[in-house]
Amino acid sequence: MGTEHGRPSAGRQIAAGAALFLIDLTVIAWLVFRYGMTGWADAYDSVNPPDAPGEALRGMWILLGGAVITGGGLLLLRWRITGIVQLVVLGAGGGLLAYCAAVSG
């Protein structure tokens, strides 16, 4: 019921993808906020090297690792729609933080 040859229905995949999309956006917003706050704090500490590029790289690895684990895992479970959403959203967030690290570093 709701599955065809072991595959979940498109409705379930879309619902799960929408829920995970909101969680992904929250995590991305938090990591970008941390990067921004670290950059702001760096402006007041001219003696030490800036920490913002390292914070951006840390966030990038968190997002890219999450994309591989959750997106790849969902694809292995045949949740294609949800897996692709995870790969695209978390991959784009990781790319955003990689860009921030390159610009500020």
Side-chain angles (χ1 to χ4, degrees):
M1 196 169 180
T3 62
E4 189 175 290
H5 303 291
R7 216 171 25 152
S9 68
R12 285 187 179 179
Q13 290 186 53
I14 291 170
L20 288 171
F21 179 74
L22 293 174
I23 294 168
D24 293 344
L25 289 182
T26 304
V27 171
I28 291 168
W30 173 249
L31 291 170
V32 170
F33 174 76
R34 282 183 53 118
Y35 163 74
M37 290 303 292
T38 305
W40 175 76
D42 286 343
Y44 290 98
D45 185 17
S46 60
V47 177
N48 295 315
D51 292 331
E55 190 67 36
L57 286 175
R58 188 174 307 115
M60 177 200 70
W61 285 113
I62 290 170
L63 291 176
L64 293 181
V68 169
I69 291 170
T70 61
L74 288 166
L75 287 174
L76 287 175
L77 292 173
R78 295 184 181 175
W79 285 64
R80 290 188 182 107
I81 297 168
T82 310
I84 290 170
V85 167
Q86 287 294 99
L87 287 171
V88 169
V89 172
L90 292 175
L96 170 71
L97 285 170
Y99 175 75
C100 290
V103 169
S104 65

